[in-house]
């Protein structure tokens, strides 16, 4: 089989969350950060024929770049990458060496806020956080509009970047705070569900390409009134 560009891009993105990955037969790829603060799932176009683990996913992706048009043949203990002249047998890792997601999908205990988040707004906010040296982003509202902000929540005198992303028809006052290092999503728009129980769900709103879902922990000092 050959991996599509979309699948390779998913793997590159997931390698930022966790350098190791376990995959199973089918068209679903999952990963979770070693700190278990972010979990991700992708529905891809390719169908993987068997199970296996990569301890260093980036290393495997680097092997693929050695071939102009790599074809993959999955075996029980390794995958063979080949083209017309060359081949590499890449050995699978022991699953016990990798932090893997739970077998059951995470269900939000309750949904307090739902909002659509455009990639342009998220990208601009992440850039502002980098430029201004701010460690967090927040989806928040004073009850009238919903803002996406770059903040330092533990420093009340710190600078703040704010961008209005939606009206707040519910009138709820809230602030869902995320560490910058936990925002490792691919470049799509997202339908976001926020829960006061310390977790948020980001589901990609793209018509083409992989369908992605991320579960990201919110910080303990997030507020929902």
């Amino acid at each position: 089989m050959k991996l599509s560009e979309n699948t390779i891009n998913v793997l590159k993105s997931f390698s930022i969350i966790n350098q190791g990955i376990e995959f199973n037969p089918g068209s679903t790829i999952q990963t979770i950060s070693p700190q278990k603060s972010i979990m991700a799932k992708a529905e891809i176009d390719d169908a993987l024929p068997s199970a296996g683990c990569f301890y260093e996913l980036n290393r495997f992706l680097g092997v693929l770049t050695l071939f102009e048009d790599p074809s993959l043949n999955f075996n029980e203990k390794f995958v063979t990458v080949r083209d017309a002249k060359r081949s590499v047998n890449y050995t699978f890792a022991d699953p016990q060496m990798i932090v893997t997601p739970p077998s059951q999908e995470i269900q939000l205990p309750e949904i307090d806020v739902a909002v659509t988040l455009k990639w342009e707004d998220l990208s601009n906010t992440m850039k502002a956080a980098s430029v201004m040296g701010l460690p967090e982003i927040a989806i928040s509202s004073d009850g009238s509009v919903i803002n996406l902000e770059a903040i330092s929540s533990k420093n009340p005198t710190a600078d703040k970047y704010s961008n209005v992303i939606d009206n707040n028809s519910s009138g709820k006052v809230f602030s869902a705070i995320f560490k910058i290092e936990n925002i490792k999503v691919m470049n799509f728009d997202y339908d976001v569900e926020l829960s006061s129980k310390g977790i948020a769900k980001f589901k990609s709103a793209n018509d083409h390409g992989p369908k992605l879902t991320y579960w990201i922990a919110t910080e303990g000092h997030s507020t929902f009134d």
Side-chain angles (χ1 to χ4, degrees):
M1 69 168 298
K2 295 182 179 181
L3 296 180
S4 67
E5 182 179 357
N6 282 334
T7 298
I8 290 174
N9 286 337
V10 167
L11 292 173
K12 288 178 179 178
S13 177
F14 280 14
S15 72
I16 301 172
I17 298 173
N18 189 337
Q19 69 171 355
I21 194 168
E22 179 182 31
F23 57 87
N24 293 291
S27 299
T28 300
I29 303 175
Q30 297 187 86
T31 191
I32 190 170
S33 66
Q35 301 79 16
K36 300 184 179 180
S37 55
I38 174 172
M39 176 176 159
K41 180 182 78 171
E43 301 291 343
I44 58 174
D45 295 331
D46 304 319
L48 301 175
S50 63
C53 291
F54 295 131
Y55 181 70
E56 294 180 282
L57 181 54
N58 270 331
R59 186 169 180 262
F60 171 72
L61 294 171
V63 167
L64 296 184
T65 67
L66 301 175
F67 301 83
E68 290 187 6
D69 188 24
S71 178
L72 281 67
N73 183 25
F74 288 82
N75 301 279
E76 182 179 354
K77 295 185 177 180
F78 63 90
V79 57
T80 299
V81 185
R82 68 170 65 252
D83 59 16
K85 295 183 178 180
R86 300 165 295 175
S87 68
V88 168
N89 285 349
Y90 197 95
T91 304
F92 293 139
D94 186 333
Q96 294 183 352
M97 299 174 64
I98 299 168
V99 178
T100 58
S103 57
Q104 293 186 338
E105 185 172 299
I106 297 173
Q107 300 295 326
L108 265 62
E110 58 187 63
I111 300 170
D112 294 280
V113 177
V115 64
T116 297
L117 183 56
K118 299 293 186 183
W119 171 251
E120 180 181 9
D121 292 328
L122 180 57
S123 177
N124 288 338
T125 304
M126 296 286 284
K127 180 179 179 180
S130 177
V131 169
M132 300 169 70
L134 299 169
E136 299 156 326
I137 69 167
I139 302 174
S140 64
S141 178
D142 60 2
S144 58
V145 296
I146 299 176
N147 294 295
L148 183 62
E149 302 172 329
I151 63 171
S152 178
S153 62
K154 295 182 180 180
N155 181 1
T157 63
D159 299 327
K160 180 174 73 173
Y161 170 92
S162 186
N163 179 29
V164 176
I165 59 173
D166 204 351
N167 293 319
N168 186 352
S169 57
S170 71
K172 291 181 179 179
V173 177
F174 61 89
S175 180
I177 302 170
F178 304 87
K179 288 182 178 179
I180 289 290
E181 58 262 34
N182 288 337
I183 306 300
K184 297 176 179 177
V185 301
M186 293 186 70
N187 302 8
F188 296 110
D189 298 341
Y190 290 90
D191 294 321
V192 181
E193 296 175 346
L194 305 174
S195 173
S196 59
K197 303 303 182 182
I199 192 170
K201 180 179 178 180
F202 290 63
K203 187 173 183 179
S204 65
N206 50 306
D207 293 326
H208 305 286
K211 300 297 184 182
L212 293 142
T213 306
Y214 298 86
W215 294 264
I216 305 175
T218 57
E219 294 303 286
H221 48 287
S222 300
T223 57
F224 292 82
D225 297 333

